Amino acid sequence: ILNNFGLARGIRNFIDRIGDMHNIRINFTTSLRQERFDSNIEVILYRVACELINNSLKHAKCKNISLALELHKDCLVLDYEDDGRGFLYTEVMDYGMGLSNIKSRVSSLNGIFDIKSNPGKGMSAHIVVRIDSSIAHLSGSDYELLNTEDYDTKKSKDSSR
């Protein structure tokens, strides 16, 4: 499906299959229709979406997942949220491979992976990938183009997530 019909349809197909097997509500919204992107971008974002959903099903004990995939100018933005049990980010990065795989995959596209979670409060992830492979960060409705050093500095100041 991903190869033939693109990212949005591939994610929708995955969600439909997962929904049939689990008692969970997954809300998926997208502004994409039939747009196609570099196959590397499509495959990586598809795998990231699948990994996030599988992590929520396996670990979060959530009832609801919300996933939004949007095209904003020259960026693909994936926003993800679940209402599960949450976690401390610093404690799970060394446990298992899921989140570190996601971080590595997004980094391979020069993208941004920002995750927030606290015990008892679910988790959210924000992923931004420039279609031309530059780094961009979506903040509210404004774009800030950041180079890697600026983002790393900002990220270290926000490490309390």
Side-chain angles (χ1 to χ4, degrees), residues 49-142:
C50 294
E51 183 72 28
L52 287 168
I53 292 169
N54 284 325
N55 283 350
S56 291
L57 292 172
K58 185 175 180 182
H59 303 291
K61 298 182 180 177
C62 62
K63 301 281 187 222
N64 299 288
I65 294 172
S66 177
L67 179 67
L69 177 64
E70 305 294 329
L71 178 61
H72 293 281
K73 297 184 182 181
D74 56 354
C75 294
L76 280 171
V77 179
L78 180 70
D79 283 310
Y80 182 91
E81 187 174 334
D82 76 32
D83 64 354
R85 61 185 182 166
F87 54 87
L88 293 174
Y89 180 75
T90 54
E91 291 179 5
V92 299
M93 278 310 285
D94 295 330
Y95 175 77
M97 297 298 293
L99 291 177
S100 59
N101 278 342
I102 292 170
K103 185 176 181 179
S104 176
R105 286 177 173 152
V106 173
S107 292
S108 75
L109 296 174
N110 293 322
I112 294 171
F113 174 57
D114 186 26
I115 188 166
K116 295 178 185 174
S117 184
N118 284 303
K121 304 215 181 206
M123 68 83 68
S124 65
H126 178 74
I127 298 159
V128 180
V129 175
R130 290 267 313 249
I131 297 167
D132 68 0
S133 297
S134 299
I135 293 178
H137 179 69
L138 180 66
S139 174
S141 62
D142 298 325

Coordinates of all heavy atoms in Angstrom, one line a residue, residues 49-142:
A49 N 5.5 6.0 12.5 CA 4.1 6.0 13.0 C 3.7 4.6 13.5 O 3.1 4.5 14.6 CB 3.2 6.4 11.8
C50 N 4.2 3.6 12.8 CA 3.9 2.2 13.3 C 4.5 1.9 14.6 O 3.9 1.3 15.5 CB 4.3 1.2 12.2 SG 3.4 1.3 10.7
E51 N 5.8 2.4 14.8 CA 6.5 2.1 16.0 C 5.8 2.9 17.2 O 5.7 2.3 18.3 CB 8.0 2.6 15.9 CG 8.8 2.3 17.1 CD 9.1 0.8 17.3 OE1 9.2 0.0 16.4 OE2 9.3 0.5 18.5
L52 N 5.4 4.1 17.0 CA 4.7 4.8 18.0 C 3.5 4.1 18.4 O 3.2 4.0 19.6 CB 4.4 6.3 17.6 CG 5.7 7.2 17.5 CD1 5.3 8.5 16.7 CD2 6.2 7.5 18.9
I53 N 2.7 3.7 17.5 CA 1.4 3.0 17.8 C 1.7 1.7 18.5 O 1.1 1.4 19.5 CB 0.6 2.8 16.5 CG1 0.1 4.1 15.9 CG2 -0.6 1.8 16.8 CD1 -0.5 4.0 14.5
N54 N 2.7 0.9 18.0 CA 3.0 -0.3 18.7 C 3.5 -0.1 20.1 O 3.2 -0.9 21.0 CB 4.0 -1.1 17.8 CG 3.4 -1.8 16.6 OD1 2.2 -2.2 16.7 ND2 4.1 -1.8 15.6
N55 N 4.3 0.9 20.3 CA 4.8 1.2 21.7 C 3.6 1.5 22.6 O 3.6 1.1 23.7 CB 5.7 2.4 21.7 CG 7.1 2.0 21.2 OD1 7.5 0.9 21.0 ND2 7.9 3.0 20.9
S56 N 2.7 2.3 22.1 CA 1.5 2.7 22.9 C 0.7 1.4 23.3 O 0.2 1.3 24.4 CB 0.6 3.7 22.2 OG 1.2 4.9 22.1
L57 N 0.5 0.6 22.3 CA -0.3 -0.7 22.5 C 0.4 -1.6 23.5 O -0.2 -2.2 24.4 CB -0.5 -1.4 21.2 CG -1.4 -0.7 20.2 CD1 -1.4 -1.5 18.9 CD2 -2.8 -0.6 20.8
K58 N 1.7 -1.7 23.4 CA 2.5 -2.6 24.2 C 2.8 -2.1 25.6 O 2.7 -2.9 26.6 CB 3.9 -2.9 23.5 CG 4.7 -3.9 24.2 CD 6.0 -4.2 23.3 CE 6.9 -5.2 24.0 NZ 8.1 -5.5 23.2
H59 N 3.0 -0.8 25.8 CA 3.5 -0.3 27.0 C 2.6 0.7 27.7 O 2.6 0.8 29.0 CB 4.9 0.4 26.9 CG 5.9 -0.4 26.3 ND1 6.5 -1.5 26.9 CD2 6.5 -0.4 25.0 CE1 7.4 -2.1 26.1 NE2 7.4 -1.4 25.0
A60 N 1.8 1.5 27.0 CA 1.1 2.6 27.6 C -0.2 2.3 28.2 O -0.7 3.0 29.1 CB 0.9 3.7 26.5
K61 N -0.8 1.1 27.8 CA -2.2 0.8 28.3 C -3.2 1.9 28.1 O -4.0 2.3 28.9 CB -2.1 0.4 29.8 CG -1.3 -0.8 30.1 CD -1.3 -1.2 31.5 CE -0.5 -2.4 31.7 NZ -0.3 -2.9 33.1
C62 N -3.1 2.5 26.9 CA -3.9 3.7 26.6 C -5.2 3.2 26.0 O -5.4 2.1 25.5 CB -3.2 4.6 25.6 SG -2.8 3.9 24.0
K63 N -6.2 4.1 25.9 CA -7.5 3.9 25.3 C -7.6 4.6 24.0 O -8.4 4.2 23.2 CB -8.6 4.3 26.3 CG -8.6 3.6 27.6 CD -9.2 2.2 27.5 CE -9.3 1.6 28.8 NZ -9.0 0.2 28.9
N64 N -6.9 5.7 23.9 CA -7.0 6.6 22.7 C -5.7 7.0 22.2 O -4.7 7.3 23.0 CB -7.8 7.9 23.1 CG -9.2 7.6 23.5 OD1 -10.0 7.2 22.8 ND2 -9.4 7.7 24.8
I65 N -5.6 7.0 20.9 CA -4.4 7.5 20.2 C -4.8 8.5 19.2 O -5.8 8.3 18.5 CB -3.6 6.4 19.5 CG1 -3.0 5.4 20.5 CG2 -2.5 6.9 18.6 CD1 -2.4 4.2 19.9
S66 N -4.1 9.6 19.1 CA -4.4 10.6 18.1 C -3.1 10.8 17.2 O -2.0 11.0 17.8 CB -4.8 11.9 18.8 OG -5.0 13.0 17.8
L67 N -3.3 10.8 15.9 CA -2.2 10.9 15.0 C -2.6 11.9 13.9 O -3.6 11.7 13.3 CB -1.9 9.5 14.4 CG -0.8 9.4 13.4 CD1 0.6 9.6 14.0 CD2 -0.8 7.9 12.8
A68 N -1.7 12.9 13.7 CA -2.0 13.8 12.6 C -0.8 13.9 11.7 O 0.3 14.0 12.2 CB -2.3 15.2 13.2
L69 N -1.0 13.9 10.4 CA 0.0 14.0 9.4 C -0.3 15.1 8.5 O -1.3 15.1 7.8 CB 0.2 12.7 8.6 CG 1.2 12.7 7.5 CD1 2.6 12.9 8.1 CD2 1.1 11.4 6.7
E70 N 0.5 16.2 8.5 CA 0.2 17.4 7.8 C 1.4 17.8 6.9 O 2.5 17.6 7.3 CB -0.2 18.5 8.7 CG -1.3 18.2 9.7 CD -2.6 18.0 9.1 OE1 -2.9 18.7 8.0 OE2 -3.4 17.2 9.6
L71 N 1.0 18.4 5.8 CA 2.0 19.0 4.9 C 1.9 20.5 5.2 O 0.8 21.1 4.9 CB 1.8 18.7 3.5 CG 2.7 19.3 2.5 CD1 4.2 18.9 2.7 CD2 2.3 18.9 1.0
H72 N 2.9 21.1 5.7 CA 3.0 22.6 5.9 C 4.1 23.1 5.1 O 5.3 22.9 5.4 CB 3.2 22.9 7.4 CG 2.1 22.5 8.3 ND1 1.0 23.3 8.4 CD2 2.0 21.5 9.1 CE1 0.2 22.7 9.3 NE2 0.7 21.6 9.7
K73 N 3.7 23.8 4.0 CA 4.7 24.4 3.1 C 5.7 23.3 2.7 O 5.3 22.4 2.0 CB 5.5 25.6 3.7 CG 4.5 26.7 4.0 CD 5.3 27.9 4.5 CE 4.2 29.0 4.8 NZ 4.9 30.2 5.3
D74 N 6.9 23.3 3.1 CA 7.9 22.3 2.7 C 8.3 21.3 3.8 O 9.3 20.7 3.7 CB 9.2 23.0 2.1 CG 9.8 23.9 3.1 OD1 9.2 24.1 4.2 OD2 10.9 24.4 2.9
C75 N 7.4 21.1 4.7 CA 7.6 20.2 5.9 C 6.5 19.2 6.0 O 5.3 19.6 5.9 CB 7.8 21.0 7.2 SG 9.2 22.0 7.3
L76 N 6.9 18.0 6.3 CA 5.9 17.0 6.7 C 5.9 17.0 8.3 O 7.0 16.9 8.8 CB 6.2 15.6 6.2 CG 5.8 15.3 4.8 CD1 6.4 14.0 4.3 CD2 4.3 15.3 4.6
V77 N 4.8 17.1 8.9 CA 4.7 17.2 10.3 C 3.8 16.0 10.8 O 2.7 15.8 10.4 CB 4.1 18.5 10.8 CG1 4.0 18.6 12.3 CG2 4.9 19.7 10.2
L78 N 4.4 15.2 11.7 CA 3.7 14.1 12.3 C 3.5 14.4 13.8 O 4.5 14.6 14.5 CB 4.4 12.8 12.1 CG 3.8 11.6 12.7 CD1 2.6 11.2 11.9 CD2 4.9 10.4 12.7
D79 N 2.3 14.6 14.3 CA 2.0 14.8 15.7 C 1.3 13.6 16.2 O 0.3 13.1 15.6 CB 1.1 16.0 15.9 CG 1.9 17.3 15.8 OD1 3.0 17.4 16.4 OD2 1.5 18.2 15.0
Y80 N 1.7 13.1 17.3 CA 1.2 11.8 17.9 C 0.9 12.0 19.4 O 1.7 12.7 20.1 CB 2.3 10.7 17.7 CG 1.8 9.4 18.3 CD1 1.2 8.5 17.4 CD2 2.1 9.0 19.6 CE1 0.8 7.3 17.9 CE2 1.7 7.8 20.0 CZ 1.0 6.9 19.2 OH 0.6 5.7 19.7
E81 N -0.1 11.4 19.9 CA -0.5 11.6 21.3 C -1.2 10.3 21.7 O -2.1 9.8 21.0 CB -1.3 12.8 21.5 CG -1.6 13.2 22.9 CD -2.3 14.5 23.0 OE1 -2.2 15.4 22.1 OE2 -3.0 14.7 24.0
D82 N -1.0 9.9 23.0 CA -1.8 8.8 23.6 C -2.1 9.2 25.0 O -1.5 10.1 25.6 CB -1.1 7.4 23.5 CG 0.0 7.2 24.5 OD1 0.0 7.8 25.6 OD2 0.9 6.5 24.2
D83 N -3.2 8.6 25.5 CA -3.6 8.9 26.9 C -3.2 7.8 27.9 O -3.9 7.5 28.8 CB -5.2 9.1 26.9 CG -5.9 7.9 26.5 OD1 -5.3 6.8 26.1 OD2 -7.2 7.9 26.6
G84 N -2.1 7.2 27.6 CA -1.6 6.1 28.4 C -1.0 6.5 29.7 O -1.0 7.7 30.1
R85 N -0.2 5.6 30.3 CA 0.3 5.8 31.6 C 1.6 6.7 31.6 O 2.0 7.1 32.7 CB 0.6 4.5 32.3 CG 1.6 3.6 31.6 CD 1.8 2.3 32.2 NE 2.8 1.5 31.6 CZ 3.3 0.4 32.1 NH1 2.9 0.0 33.3 NH2 4.2 -0.3 31.4
G86 N 2.1 7.0 30.5 CA 3.3 7.9 30.4 C 4.5 7.3 31.0 O 4.6 6.1 31.4
F87 N 5.6 8.1 31.0 CA 6.9 7.6 31.4 C 7.8 8.8 31.6 O 7.5 9.9 31.2 CB 7.5 6.6 30.4 CG 7.6 7.1 29.0 CD1 8.7 7.9 28.6 CD2 6.5 6.9 28.1 CE1 8.7 8.4 27.3 CE2 6.6 7.4 26.8 CZ 7.7 8.2 26.4
L88 N 9.0 8.5 32.2 CA 10.0 9.5 32.2 C 11.0 9.3 31.1 O 11.6 8.2 31.0 CB 10.8 9.5 33.5 CG 10.0 9.9 34.8 CD1 10.8 9.6 36.0 CD2 9.6 11.3 34.7
Y89 N 11.1 10.2 30.2 CA 11.9 10.0 29.0 C 13.3 9.6 29.2 O 13.8 8.7 28.5 CB 11.9 11.4 28.2 CG 12.7 11.3 26.9 CD1 12.1 10.7 25.8 CD2 13.9 11.9 26.8 CE1 12.8 10.7 24.6 CE2 14.6 11.9 25.6 CZ 14.1 11.2 24.5 OH 14.7 11.2 23.3
T90 N 14.0 10.1 30.2 CA 15.3 9.8 30.5 C 15.5 8.3 30.9 O 16.5 7.7 30.7 CB 15.9 10.7 31.6 OG1 15.1 10.6 32.7 CG2 16.1 12.1 31.1
E91 N 14.4 7.7 31.5 CA 14.5 6.3 31.9 C 14.2 5.3 30.8 O 14.6 4.2 30.9 CB 13.5 6.1 33.1 CG 13.9 6.8 34.3 CD 12.9 6.6 35.5 OE1 12.0 5.9 35.3 OE2 13.1 7.3 36.5
V92 N 13.5 5.7 29.8 CA 13.1 4.7 28.7 C 14.1 4.8 27.5 O 14.1 3.8 26.7 CB 11.7 4.9 28.2 CG1 10.7 4.7 29.4 CG2 11.5 6.2 27.6
M93 N 14.9 5.8 27.4 CA 15.8 5.8 26.2 C 16.8 4.7 26.3 O 17.3 4.3 25.3 CB 16.5 7.2 26.1 CG 15.6 8.3 25.5 SD 14.9 7.8 23.9 CE 16.3 7.8 22.8
D94 N 17.1 4.2 27.5 CA 18.1 3.2 27.6 C 17.4 1.8 27.6 O 18.1 0.8 27.6 CB 19.0 3.3 28.8 CG 19.8 4.6 28.8 OD1 20.2 5.0 27.7 OD2 20.1 5.1 29.8
Y95 N 16.1 1.8 27.6 CA 15.3 0.5 27.7 C 14.7 0.2 26.4 O 13.9 1.0 25.9 CB 14.2 0.7 28.8 CG 13.3 -0.5 28.9 CD1 13.8 -1.7 29.5 CD2 12.1 -0.5 28.4 CE1 12.9 -2.8 29.6 CE2 11.2 -1.6 28.4 CZ 11.7 -2.7 29.1 OH 10.9 -3.8 29.1
G96 N 15.1 -0.9 25.8 CA 14.5 -1.3 24.5 C 15.1 -0.4 23.4 O 16.0 0.4 23.6
M97 N 14.6 -0.6 22.2 CA 15.1 0.1 21.1 C 14.1 1.0 20.4 O 14.4 1.7 19.5 CB 15.6 -1.0 20.0 CG 16.7 -1.8 20.5 SD 18.2 -0.9 20.9 CE 18.6 -0.3 19.2
G98 N 12.8 1.0 20.8 CA 11.8 1.7 20.1 C 12.0 3.2 19.9 O 12.1 3.6 18.8
L99 N 12.2 3.9 21.0 CA 12.3 5.3 20.9 C 13.7 5.7 20.3 O 13.8 6.7 19.5 CB 12.1 6.0 22.3 CG 10.7 6.0 22.8 CD1 10.6 6.6 24.2 CD2 9.7 6.7 21.8
S100 N 14.7 5.0 20.6 CA 16.0 5.3 20.0 C 16.0 5.0 18.5 O 16.6 5.7 17.8 CB 17.1 4.5 20.8 OG 16.9 3.1 20.7
N101 N 15.3 4.0 18.1 CA 15.1 3.7 16.7 C 14.4 4.9 16.0 O 14.8 5.3 14.9 CB 14.4 2.4 16.4 CG 15.3 1.2 16.5 OD1 16.5 1.3 16.4 ND2 14.6 0.0 16.7
I102 N 13.3 5.4 16.6 CA 12.6 6.5 16.1 C 13.5 7.7 15.9 O 13.6 8.3 14.9 CB 11.4 6.8 16.9 CG1 10.3 5.7 16.8 CG2 10.7 8.1 16.5 CD1 9.2 5.8 17.8
K103 N 14.2 8.0 17.0 CA 15.1 9.1 17.0 C 16.2 9.0 15.9 O 16.4 10.0 15.2 CB 15.8 9.3 18.4 CG 16.7 10.5 18.5 CD 17.2 10.6 19.9 CE 18.1 11.8 20.1 NZ 18.6 11.9 21.4
S104 N 16.7 7.8 15.7 CA 17.7 7.6 14.7 C 17.1 7.7 13.3 O 17.8 8.3 12.4 CB 18.3 6.2 14.9 OG 19.2 5.9 13.9
R105 N 16.0 7.2 13.1 CA 15.3 7.3 11.8 C 15.0 8.7 11.4 O 15.3 9.1 10.3 CB 14.0 6.4 11.8 CG 14.3 5.0 11.7 CD 13.0 4.2 11.8 NE 13.2 2.8 11.6 CZ 12.5 1.8 12.0 NH1 11.4 2.1 12.8 NH2 12.8 0.6 11.8
V106 N 14.5 9.5 12.3 CA 14.2 10.9 12.1 C 15.5 11.7 11.8 O 15.5 12.5 10.9 CB 13.3 11.5 13.2 CG1 13.1 13.0 13.0 CG2 11.9 10.8 13.3
S107 N 16.5 11.4 12.6 CA 17.8 12.1 12.4 C 18.4 11.8 11.1 O 19.0 12.6 10.5 CB 18.8 11.6 13.5 OG 18.4 12.1 14.8
S108 N 18.1 10.6 10.5 CA 18.7 10.2 9.2 C 18.1 11.1 8.1 O 18.7 11.2 7.0 CB 18.5 8.7 8.9 OG 17.1 8.5 8.6
L109 N 16.9 11.7 8.4 CA 16.3 12.6 7.4 C 16.6 14.1 7.8 O 16.0 15.0 7.2 CB 14.8 12.4 7.4 CG 14.3 11.1 7.0 CD1 12.8 11.0 7.2 CD2 14.6 10.8 5.5
N110 N 17.5 14.3 8.8 CA 17.8 15.6 9.3 C 16.5 16.3 9.8 O 16.3 17.5 9.7 CB 18.4 16.5 8.2 CG 19.8 16.1 7.8 OD1 20.6 15.7 8.7 ND2 20.1 16.2 6.5
G111 N 15.7 15.5 10.4 CA 14.4 15.9 11.0 C 14.5 16.1 12.5 O 15.6 16.0 13.1
I112 N 13.4 16.5 13.1 CA 13.4 16.8 14.5 C 12.4 15.8 15.1 O 11.2 15.6 14.6 CB 12.9 18.2 14.8 CG1 14.0 19.2 14.3 CG2 12.6 18.5 16.2 CD1 13.6 20.6 14.3
F113 N 12.8 15.2 16.2 CA 11.9 14.3 17.0 C 11.9 14.9 18.4 O 12.9 15.0 19.1 CB 12.5 12.9 17.0 CG 11.8 12.0 17.9 CD1 10.4 11.7 17.8 CD2 12.5 11.3 18.9 CE1 9.8 10.8 18.6 CE2 11.8 10.4 19.7 CZ 10.5 10.1 19.6
D114 N 10.7 15.4 18.8 CA 10.5 16.0 20.1 C 9.4 15.1 20.9 O 8.3 15.0 20.3 CB 10.1 17.4 20.0 CG 10.0 18.1 21.3 OD1 10.7 17.7 22.3 OD2 9.2 19.1 21.4
I115 N 9.7 14.7 22.0 CA 8.8 13.8 22.8 C 8.6 14.4 24.2 O 9.5 14.9 24.8 CB 9.3 12.4 22.8 CG1 8.2 11.4 23.4 CG2 10.6 12.3 23.6 CD1 8.5 10.0 23.2
K116 N 7.3 14.3 24.6 CA 7.0 14.8 26.0 C 6.2 13.7 26.6 O 5.3 13.1 26.0 CB 6.1 16.0 25.9 CG 6.9 17.2 25.3 CD 6.0 18.4 25.3 CE 6.7 19.6 24.6 NZ 5.8 20.7 24.4
S117 N 6.5 13.4 27.9 CA 5.7 12.4 28.6 C 6.0 12.6 30.1 O 7.1 13.0 30.5 CB 6.1 11.0 28.2 OG 5.2 10.1 28.9
N118 N 5.0 12.3 30.9 CA 5.2 12.2 32.3 C 4.3 11.1 32.8 O 3.3 10.8 32.3 CB 4.7 13.5 33.0 CG 5.8 14.6 32.8 OD1 6.9 14.5 33.2 ND2 5.3 15.7 32.3
P119 N 4.8 10.4 33.9 CA 4.0 9.3 34.4 C 2.5 9.8 34.7 O 2.3 10.8 35.3 CB 4.7 8.9 35.7 CG 6.1 9.3 35.4 CD 6.0 10.6 34.6
G120 N 1.6 9.0 34.3 CA 0.2 9.2 34.5 C -0.4 10.3 33.5 O -1.6 10.6 33.6
K121 N 0.4 10.8 32.6 CA -0.1 11.9 31.7 C 0.0 11.6 30.2 O -0.1 12.4 29.4 CB 0.6 13.1 32.0 CG 0.5 13.5 33.5 CD 0.4 15.0 33.7 CE 0.4 15.2 35.2 NZ -0.2 16.4 35.5
G122 N 0.2 10.3 29.9 CA 0.3 10.0 28.5 C 1.6 10.5 27.9 O 2.6 10.8 28.6
M123 N 1.7 10.5 26.6 CA 2.9 10.9 25.8 C 2.5 11.6 24.6 O 1.4 11.4 24.0 CB 3.9 9.8 25.6 CG 3.4 8.8 24.6 SD 3.7 9.2 22.8 CE 5.4 9.2 22.7
S124 N 3.3 12.5 24.1 CA 3.1 13.1 22.8 C 4.5 13.2 22.1 O 5.5 13.3 22.7 CB 2.5 14.5 22.9 OG 3.4 15.4 23.6
A125 N 4.4 13.1 20.8 CA 5.6 13.2 20.0 C 5.3 14.2 18.8 O 4.2 14.2 18.3 CB 6.0 11.8 19.4
H126 N 6.3 14.9 18.5 CA 6.2 15.9 17.4 C 7.4 15.7 16.5 O 8.6 15.8 16.9 CB 6.2 17.3 18.0 CG 6.2 18.4 17.0 ND1 5.1 18.8 16.3 CD2 7.2 19.3 16.6 CE1 5.3 19.8 15.6 NE2 6.6 20.1 15.7
I127 N 7.1 15.4 15.2 CA 8.2 15.1 14.3 C 8.0 16.0 13.1 O 6.9 16.2 12.6 CB 8.1 13.6 13.8 CG1 8.3 12.7 15.0 CG2 9.1 13.3 12.7 CD1 7.8 11.4 14.9
V128 N 9.1 16.6 12.7 CA 9.1 17.5 11.5 C 10.3 17.1 10.6 O 11.4 17.0 11.0 CB 9.3 19.0 12.0 CG1 9.3 19.9 10.7 CG2 8.3 19.4 12.9
V129 N 9.9 16.9 9.3 CA 10.9 16.6 8.3 C 10.7 17.5 7.1 O 9.6 17.6 6.6 CB 10.8 15.1 7.9 CG1 11.7 14.8 6.7 CG2 11.0 14.2 9.0
R130 N 11.8 18.3 6.8 CA 11.7 19.1 5.6 C 11.8 18.2 4.4 O 12.6 17.2 4.4 CB 12.9 20.1 5.6 CG 12.8 21.2 6.6 CD 12.1 22.5 6.1 NE 12.6 23.0 4.8 CZ 13.3 24.1 4.6 NH1 13.7 24.8 5.6 NH2 13.6 24.4 3.4
I131 N 11.0 18.4 3.5 CA 11.0 17.6 2.3 C 12.4 17.7 1.5 O 12.8 16.8 1.0 CB 9.8 18.0 1.3 CG1 8.5 17.7 2.1 CG2 9.9 17.2 0.0 CD1 7.3 18.3 1.4
D132 N 13.0 18.9 1.7 CA 14.3 19.0 1.1 C 15.5 18.6 2.0 O 16.6 18.9 1.8 CB 14.6 20.4 0.5 CG 14.6 21.5 1.7 OD1 14.5 21.1 2.8 OD2 14.8 22.6 1.3
S133 N 15.1 18.0 3.1 CA 16.1 17.4 4.1 C 16.8 18.4 5.0 O 17.7 18.1 5.7 CB 17.1 16.5 3.5 OG 16.5 15.4 2.9
S134 N 16.3 19.7 5.0 CA 16.8 20.7 5.9 C 16.1 20.5 7.2 O 15.1 19.8 7.3 CB 16.6 22.1 5.4 OG 17.2 22.3 4.2
I135 N 16.6 21.1 8.3 CA 16.0 20.9 9.6 C 15.0 22.1 9.8 O 15.3 23.2 9.5 CB 17.0 20.9 10.7 CG1 17.9 19.7 10.6 CG2 16.4 21.0 12.1 CD1 19.0 19.6 11.7
A136 N 13.8 21.8 10.2 CA 12.8 22.8 10.5 C 12.1 22.4 11.8 O 12.1 21.2 12.2 CB 11.8 22.9 9.4
H137 N 11.6 23.4 12.5 CA 10.9 23.1 13.7 C 9.6 23.9 13.6 O 9.6 25.1 13.3 CB 11.6 23.5 15.0 CG 10.9 23.3 16.2 ND1 10.6 22.1 16.7 CD2 10.3 24.2 17.1 CE1 9.9 22.2 17.8 NE2 9.7 23.4 18.1
L138 N 8.5 23.2 13.9 CA 7.2 23.9 13.8 C 6.8 24.3 15.3 O 6.7 23.4 16.2 CB 6.1 22.9 13.3 CG 4.7 23.4 13.2 CD1 4.7 24.5 12.1 CD2 3.8 22.3 12.8
S139 N 6.6 25.5 15.5 CA 6.2 26.0 16.8 C 4.9 26.8 16.6 O 4.9 27.9 16.1 CB 7.3 27.0 17.3 OG 7.0 27.6 18.5
G140 N 3.8 26.2 17.2 CA 2.5 26.8 17.0 C 2.2 26.8 15.5 O 2.3 25.8 14.8
S141 N 1.9 28.0 14.9 CA 1.7 28.1 13.5 C 2.9 28.7 12.8 O 2.8 29.0 11.6 CB 0.4 28.9 13.2 OG 0.6 30.2 13.8
D142 N 4.0 29.0 13.5 CA 5.1 29.7 13.0 C 6.2 28.7 12.7 O 6.4 27.7 13.5 CB 5.7 30.8 13.9 CG 4.6 31.9 14.1 OD1 3.9 32.2 13.2 OD2 4.6 32.4 15.3

